[in-house]
Amino acid sequence: THLHYERVNRLPLLGSLLDETGSTMTSLEHRLAQGRKVYFKHQSTFMARGGIKDKIAAWSVAPATSAIFGASCWHLNQRAESDWLS
């Protein structure tokens, strides 16, 4: 059996998105998009009546952790950080 390899520009891998240049911004934007998806999936919980403690607990378990998954390997240079923050 022969394996066939194909070159791709982007590769989803273990919850991250890698591109051909190894850009941290690609991974960062992907994770933030995942966090937004989780937020809107659970938006009714965050907007419902009830105690703030439960809402904060739901936030820390859902969108926040989804958005920062893999953050330990992100590296931003000053220009990328400025571009992202503006």
Side-chain angles (χ1 to χ4, degrees):
T1 303
H2 295 340
L3 295 176
H4 174 71
Y5 295 98
E6 181 180 334
R7 183 181 176 105
V8 295
N9 293 330
R10 292 181 172 204
L11 175 68
L13 181 68
L14 300 174
S16 292
L17 183 65
L18 306 175
D19 69 2
E20 61 188 336
T21 65
S23 170
T24 295
M25 293 307 296
T26 299
S27 294
L28 176 61
E29 289 167 358
H30 174 73
R31 292 312 317 165
L32 292 176
Q34 297 304 324
R36 278 191 294 276
K37 286 180 188 177
V38 172
Y39 171 80
F40 286 111
K41 180 179 177 182
H42 298 289
Q43 185 177 17
S44 61
T45 301
F46 303 134
M47 305 301 275
R49 292 181 182 237
I52 191 72
K53 184 177 178 181
D54 294 332
K55 292 178 185 180
I56 290 173
W59 173 261
S60 66
V61 171
T65 55
S66 180
I68 62 170
F69 176 83
S72 62
C73 64
W74 293 344
H75 57 281
L76 296 178
N77 60 31
Q78 189 173 10
R79 179 176 176 203
E81 188 174 347
S82 296
D83 290 347
W84 186 71
L85 292 174
S86 61

